[in-house]
Every structure is written in C-alpha cells, then in structure tokens.
Amino acid sequence: MPPMVAWVVAAALCSQGVFSVEPEDGSLRGVQVGTARAGFSGRGYLTGLDQEGDAAEARFEARKGVFQVAVRYCSPGQPKGFDLRVNGVGLSGMLPATGNAWQTRVVGRTELRDGWNALRVEKGWGYYDLDRVEFRPAPAPRPPRSVA
C-alpha cells in the first residue's frame, strides 16, 4: 500500500446496510478539510482538488458484496469530471453542477471484499467539494428477457 494510506472504519458497517466513508478522515495529499460550506457530514469535506496528484485515501472495513457507489458533493459552477478508485478499480464520470447545495449521486457499482477495502478520491477535473462516499447494497440484476 502507498504510504499515504490511513485506516478508518466505515460508519454503520453491516452486511446488507448502507454505510458511508468520510474521505477527509483518511490520508490527504494536496487537499484540505473544509468546513465553510454548511450541511456537511463528519468533521468536514474534501476541498482543494485543483492540482495534479491531489488525492485522499481511506481504508475501511466492509463485508463482501456488490454495492452501488454514491458521492455527496458540491459543484457550484459547472459540471465536473470525477475519478475514484475502490480497491484499485477506477470509477470515473460526470457530476452535474449543484449551485451551492450538496447533492448525492449514484456514480457506479463496485465489489467490496470481506475485511479491509481502499477508497481513493482523485482530482478528476477538480474544483468541486466532496463530503462523503456511500456504499449501498446493489439490487440484483434483472433476469434476461425471453426472446421467443
């Protein structure tokens, strides 16, 4: 593991429940913990994602399973590209502008393993704030349609 990794325990850890990881509780590189924007969870939120190499990394304990990944973020200006890594597997996409409000958006699915897992938040396009990352048990896929 890279030296910047910190160990945190995810809130409300359970085999079938929703839980959150607060990236500001992990190791920070080039980012700060903000508190000026009201309504954040935990002790603050990630801000200052504006230079190449900016990142936060946290390790959390979870049960094995497939989860939806949702981010709670604020992007006052324009839509922003984001980059996350869960256990080394990348999730990238676009986050719509939010004005000055926090919004939560499902951004993909990932598989967690039993025990310790790693979350890394990277700059992406930068210039957005990230409050937390939620893991929600993913619904089972729909069965295939019959093509009779």
Side-chain angles (χ1 to χ4, degrees):
M1 284 291 136
M4 72 176 281
V5 175
W7 300 91
V8 295
V9 177
L13 174 65
C14 84
S15 62
Q16 294 301 311
V18 175
F19 65 93
S20 299
V21 175
E22 299 280 347
E24 72 272 9
D25 292 336
S27 293
L28 309 180
R29 179 177 291 152
V31 296
Q32 299 81 43
V33 177
T35 57
R37 189 178 305 283
F40 58 86
S41 62
R43 67 182 184 94
Y45 53 89
L46 291 183
T47 192
L49 287 157
D50 55 13
Q51 300 291 318
E52 289 305 316
D54 286 354
E57 190 162 353
R59 294 194 42 96
F60 61 96
E61 196 168 9
R63 303 270 192 272
K64 181 178 180 176
V66 177
F67 290 81
Q68 290 180 326
V69 179
V71 296
R72 187 164 190 258
Y73 73 100
C74 183
S75 176
Q78 301 292 322
K80 299 294 179 178
F82 71 91
D83 290 314
L84 302 176
R85 292 192 150 311
V86 179
N87 296 327
V89 177
L91 283 169
S92 296
M94 294 297 295
L95 297 171
T98 65
N100 287 317
W102 293 106
Q103 287 187 11
T104 302
R105 184 170 187 87
V106 173
V107 296
R109 295 166 72 114
T110 194
E111 186 172 358
L112 300 179
R113 52 186 168 229
D114 240 351
W116 290 102
N117 292 268
L119 168 68
R120 182 177 171 91
V121 177
E122 299 175 339
K123 174 184 163 263
W125 287 13
Y127 300 99
Y128 64 95
D129 296 333
L130 192 135
D131 183 33
R132 68 176 176 251
V133 178
E134 298 175 359
F135 292 89
R136 305 170 179 178
R142 294 182 200 175
R145 293 180 122 173
S146 176
V147 282

